Amino acid sequence: MRSIPSKIAETPVDALLVASRHAPYLSRLIEREPELFTALHNGSVDNIWKELIAGICGSPQDADIDQVMSRLRTAKRKAHLTLSAGDLSGKWSLTDVTQRMTEFADTVASTALRASADSLDLPLDGLFVVALGKMGAHELNYSSDIDVAAFFNPDIFEGGCRGPADSARRVVQRMARILSDQTADGYVLRTDLRLRPDPSSTSVAVSTQMAELYYETVGQNWERMVWIKARACAGDIEAADDFIRVLSPFVWRQHLDYWAISDIHAIKGMINSSAGGPELETPSPDLKLGLGGIREIEFFAQTQQLIMGGRDRRLRVRDTVSAITELERAGIVSADNCREMIDCYEALRTIEHRVQMRQDEQTHALPKDEKRRASVAALCGVSSLVEFDDMVRQLRERVHSIYLELFGSESRGLNSTKLGNLVFTGVDPDPGTVSTLTAFGFSKPEELISRVSHWHRGHVPATRSPRGRELLTALLPGLLSDMAETGDPDEAFKRFQNFLERLSSGVYVLSMLLAEEPLRKDLIATLALAPRLSETLGKQPQMIEALLAPEQSQSLSITSAQDFDDAMNVARRHFREASFRVGHGLLHGHIAARDAGISYSDLADKTIEAMASAAEFEVSRKLGPVPGDWSIVALGKLGGRALTASSDLDLMVIYNAKDDASAPEWFTRFTKRLITALSAETAEGQLYEVDMRLRPSGRSGPVAVRLSSFERYHREEAWTWEHMALTRLRPVCDRGDLSGRVADLTCELLAEVPRRLELTGDILDMRKRLAREKPSKGLWDLKMGEGGLVDLEFILQRELLMLETECAATPRLPDAIAKLRQYGHFTSTEALDLRHAEFVLSALQQIQRLALSSDIAPDQMTDGLKDRFSRAIGALDFGSLETELRRVKHLVQKARRERIGSVDNEVSIDL
């Protein structure tokens, strides 16, 4: 592998003249600084450099900030021209160049800080700037930003009348302006202050007390990597050195636990986890961030320093070359790998410098344009572009090969992705990570990176502990990959964000997700497919444990409850988990859509029975023993055992009293306590909404109905719609043997419904009123829309009320269809069609109510949800599903028109 030539000409001036043909920026510098160009012809670059630095340091301090800015920009031009001359002529090595560039940065930063403080009439005692990154390690690029962090010790820095915090902020902001603002003379150095503690929440100057607390409590491993290179560079150097010493235990830990080491490996594993690939073949790579780039070498050195530097002080060095050398001495890197890594590192850094000196641009990528890339090659002393491209490719291949060799044995499978980088460290979005996230399908990768960084800084309870942050680091690649597989990664991430940020403590849940890959995938799929379940998990994230626990019976015992309120909470905890299990099973196809209604209804039955027992005990304790028998009956969907995830409960309490005097109050109190037990919001949530309006006289009638009153009302006063409701009556639980009597009585009452012509007219009037009050929302209005479940129920209830000899109370719709076929109300074909229609409408409604809680247009559904809808009825795809849905709704609408009549202004469903 051929090395990069150390020079392109023998003398500094000749080197600049050659370079000026390939670097427009250098050509402009020669024109603007002719005296310096002449001096380089006659003198030593070393002496010229010393005079330049001495001139900056020895200049009188101007109170006029504009004069300071102009003077430093002139010095920057001279520094760049001198650096280029020494570099391109081979007078200075790479180390000489980076150290001199850093020396210049230190000098101008110190000058700018001092000028800023003087202009505000403030001392610098206790105020200082720490160089981080390449500046801290004396490794600055030719056109580097400088990464610095400013701090003030409030016990030393007085700050004048504004106080330490505000005054420090003003000084540092003005310093940054002096260095970074673009004027007619250009700029000095782009200054990045975002490596300070929690930059989104803190001022540009941070108190040392706040910083110490931050690093002690929420400091991350990648920030430890940043502080490996920390060095005092401006202001109160003694105070800065003291502060860096205080942070030494944060950076250099004597002992690392398993998770700290795993987190460091996870950070490593986020970078270019794929081996080789097309990226190594590109002629215009990112020399720093790309595969086989500078950062792979730096990250290897820094991660090893973090893991072992606490015990081996020799590894506590700032610059990369020294770190690799010490790793070789410590036996961590072989002599051959050490030599090759250093050679490759210096070659890549040299090329990086040549790229930047073309236009003084902070870039690390070789140009895609061949002519411009040939200019870089010429600045590197290589005349053939083909040869140059081959040299760069070989360099990167060797770096990546060594990187994989050194890190491969440490891989724990925590962060494997075949698509590229997943880096969430630092302050700028990593370009490789942006590309990876875009390939995953995320539409706003920069916002996602910002949110993950927010988590990593401990801004949510789940990541306030070091363990929580380390677990998140290990989980992220798998989580993001799972989100990509949902078909709507943006929505999946938004719902996971809601889930994570509501966790009161993340260690337990995140540990489960890391240990159980199927659980992790299951969670992301659930969040993506079902906004309603996602909201439930967001409010009660601990319910995820229900997916790991063994399946349990839906039986509910409240015998351990201490009182009525405790019984409500016990029931809610059981219900929450059991309901989630049913919903999860339905969503993922473990429970057939046709069976979900029965599962939800069985759960409701058990819950009602338990709450009725608690209510009876509570009322008996206050009013004495129950004065008779009672029965709780279900109507509507619960009566028909077709409950959905969002259904309310249509209930009626019927009693038969021995003591007429005390019974009304007792059973009224009992019913109200039951309603409270079922519907009240407690700390453990809510069970159901309860609807008692189907009782005799509705809201104006008593909440508990005497059996004799129930019988009299339905014989003498009930409306047709109330008779229709009775067809779905089903006893749930009782005390005594009243449920059997209620069921028998219901059959008698329905058999006596007048067989008059007005029956069909009443039903049609009711259907028209519903259509006016709740007009159809289109094809996916599965309940109220034309040909929906209401139409089907009205058809069946009309026909049941027309039965002459058989009991009309047939709660389940499939049973009602079978019964009506048996008694000749439907032909075999009609029965089959209506049974299929009931299956399609009910199955889709189960998924709809579980996932969405409301009607929704198809263009608002994710691809994954569309697939789940399709599988619920056995459709090949979503297009086939909608065709079938239109067909069955057309069939039901046609049957309703034929048997009941048409609704005003209804839209015909065409095939």
Side-chain angles (χ1 to χ4, degrees), residues 350-415:
T350 298
I351 300 170
E352 181 185 39
H353 279 226
R354 305 299 191 262
V355 169
Q356 293 180 356
M357 68 173 56
R358 286 191 67 255
Q359 290 288 11
D360 187 26
E361 293 176 331
Q362 175 63 356
T363 180
H364 310 278
L366 282 167
K368 293 182 180 179
D369 179 79
E370 290 192 357
K371 183 177 180 180
R372 293 177 180 175
R373 198 164 69 254
S375 295
V376 176
L379 290 171
C380 293
V382 182
S383 58
S384 166
L385 180 59
V386 173
E387 183 180 351
F388 177 75
D389 288 345
D390 188 57
M391 288 170 57
V392 173
R393 179 183 56 78
Q394 288 184 43
L395 275 171
R396 295 172 60 235
E397 285 178 346
R398 188 58 194 137
V399 168
H400 193 59
S401 174
I402 296 172
Y403 179 79
L404 292 178
E405 176 187 342
L406 294 172
F407 266 145
S409 61
E410 298 172 354
S411 175
R412 297 170 185 260
L414 297 176
N415 288 287

Side-chain angles (χ1 to χ4, degrees), residues 598-770:
I598 295 174
S599 296
Y600 279 125
S601 300
D602 287 347
L603 174 60
D605 287 356
K606 298 295 184 183
T607 304
I608 293 167
E609 185 175 8
M611 292 295 90
S613 177
E616 182 184 73
F617 179 83
E618 180 72 5
V619 176
S620 297
R621 186 174 62 83
K622 294 181 178 180
L623 298 182
V626 55
D629 296 337
W630 54 263
S631 175
I632 300 174
V633 299
L635 303 111
K637 282 190 175 294
L638 179 58
R641 300 188 75 200
L643 216 59
T644 71
S646 59
S647 294
D648 57 13
L649 304 182
D650 291 307
L651 298 177
M652 190 187 307
V653 176
I654 302 172
Y655 69 91
N656 193 29
K658 302 172 185 176
D659 182 355
D660 288 349
S662 63
E665 181 185 3
W666 199 99
F667 284 107
T668 295
R669 291 280 292 275
F670 167 72
T671 304
K672 288 181 177 179
R673 295 304 272 172
L674 174 65
I675 294 171
T676 297
L678 291 172
S679 62
E681 185 85 33
T682 76
E684 296 290 343
Q686 185 186 40
L687 295 175
Y688 300 97
E689 293 287 346
V690 177
D691 190 343
M692 306 286 287
R693 290 175 297 174
L694 291 179
R695 68 185 187 270
S697 300
R699 289 194 179 95
S700 62
V703 292
V705 183
R706 191 186 299 272
L707 181 64
S708 58
S709 299
F710 173 79
E711 179 179 3
R712 182 176 62 254
Y713 179 83
H714 281 282
R715 287 189 192 279
E716 301 173 4
E717 301 178 42
W719 296 77
T720 299
W721 67 267
E722 291 175 297
H723 293 310
M724 294 167 67
L726 287 188
T727 65
R728 303 196 79 177
L729 182 145
R730 178 178 64 85
V732 173
C733 61
D734 63 8
R735 187 68 68 238
D737 190 26
L738 191 58
S739 289
R741 293 179 61 187
V742 171
D744 292 341
L745 178 58
T746 300
C747 289
E748 292 176 18
L749 294 172
L750 293 179
E752 296 172 9
V753 172
R755 305 297 192 257
R756 58 184 186 273
L757 294 176
E758 289 83 356
L759 181 66
T760 300
D762 288 348
I763 295 174
L764 180 59
D765 286 344
M766 184 165 29
R767 184 65 185 94
K768 288 180 177 180
R769 179 171 59 82
L770 288 175

Side-chain angles (χ1 to χ4, degrees), residues 147-167:
D147 291 310
V148 294
F151 301 91
F152 65 94
N153 186 330
D155 295 330
I156 302 175
F157 181 67
E158 296 178 359
C161 61
R162 291 180 175 272
D166 189 43
S167 294

Side-chain angles (χ1 to χ4, degrees), residues 324-572:
I324 296 171
T325 301
E326 292 299 335
L327 288 171
E328 190 269 329
R329 289 175 182 168
I332 298 163
V333 178
S334 70
D336 288 344
N337 279 342
C338 173
R339 185 183 63 257
E340 284 197 82
M341 273 203 293
I342 292 174
D343 288 347
C344 290
Y345 175 77
E346 293 182 340
L348 288 170
R349 290 297 309 275
T350 298
I351 300 170
E352 181 185 39
H353 279 226
R354 305 299 191 262
V355 169
Q356 293 180 356
M357 68 173 56
R358 286 191 67 255
Q359 290 288 11
D360 187 26
E361 293 176 331
Q362 175 63 356
T363 180
H364 310 278
L366 282 167
K368 293 182 180 179
D369 179 79
E370 290 192 357
K371 183 177 180 180
R372 293 177 180 175
R373 198 164 69 254
S375 295
V376 176
L379 290 171
C380 293
V382 182
S383 58
S384 166
L385 180 59
V386 173
E387 183 180 351
F388 177 75
D389 288 345
D390 188 57
M391 288 170 57
V392 173
R393 179 183 56 78
Q394 288 184 43
L395 275 171
R396 295 172 60 235
E397 285 178 346
R398 188 58 194 137
V399 168
H400 193 59
S401 174
I402 296 172
Y403 179 79
L404 292 178
E405 176 187 342
L406 294 172
F407 266 145
S409 61
E410 298 172 354
S411 175
R412 297 170 185 260
L414 297 176
N415 288 287
S416 57
T417 169
K418 298 298 183 184
L419 295 183
N421 289 10
L422 282 175
V423 180
F424 299 95
T425 59
V427 292
D428 284 319
D430 172 67
T433 302
V434 171
S435 298
T436 300
L437 293 175
T438 301
F440 273 149
F442 293 98
S443 64
K444 298 178 180 178
E446 290 87 355
E447 292 183 11
L448 186 152
I449 293 170
S450 175
R451 176 52 53 177
V452 171
S453 297
H454 179 80
W455 297 339
H456 273 307
R457 292 188 183 278
H459 286 308
V460 296
T463 59
R464 281 183 187 150
S465 69
R467 177 78 179 279
R469 295 189 293 275
E470 290 155 1
L471 286 166
L472 178 66
T473 300
L475 274 167
L476 273 170
L479 287 170
L480 295 169
S481 181
D482 294 341
M483 291 173 193
E485 292 174 4
T486 67
D488 190 354
D490 288 335
E491 194 63 28
F493 182 81
K494 183 174 74 174
R495 293 174 189 162
F496 178 77
Q497 174 185 334
N498 185 54
F499 169 81
L500 179 72
E501 294 183 0
R502 290 191 181 187
L503 288 172
S504 58
S505 175
V507 170
Y508 181 59
V509 171
L510 295 178
S511 295
M512 284 197 300
L513 295 177
L514 186 61
E516 301 284 345
E517 182 178 346
L519 178 64
R520 186 199 73 213
K521 290 180 174 294
D522 192 284
L523 170 67
I524 297 303
T526 300
L527 294 175
L529 290 176
R532 185 175 184 275
L533 275 185
S534 172
E535 183 66 20
T536 301
L537 274 173
K539 293 177 180 177
Q540 301 285 347
Q542 66 272 20
M543 279 202 300
I544 194 173
E545 295 180 48
L547 304 183
L548 282 179
E551 288 290 339
Q552 297 174 351
S553 166
Q554 285 189 356
S555 61
L556 170 57
S557 172
I558 58 170
T559 55
S560 62
Q562 299 177 358
D563 53 30
F564 182 73
D565 290 340
D566 191 33
M568 288 199 297
N569 286 326
V570 169
R572 278 154 177 74

Side-chain angles (χ1 to χ4, degrees), residues 764-792:
L764 180 59
D765 286 344
M766 184 165 29
R767 184 65 185 94
K768 288 180 177 180
R769 179 171 59 82
L770 288 175
R772 289 192 300 271
E773 294 175 356
K774 298 180 179 180
S776 173
K777 299 175 184 177
L779 180 66
W780 279 87
D781 188 342
L782 302 174
K783 179 179 179 181
M784 301 303 302
E786 294 91 346
L789 283 164
V790 165
D791 274 353
L792 179 60

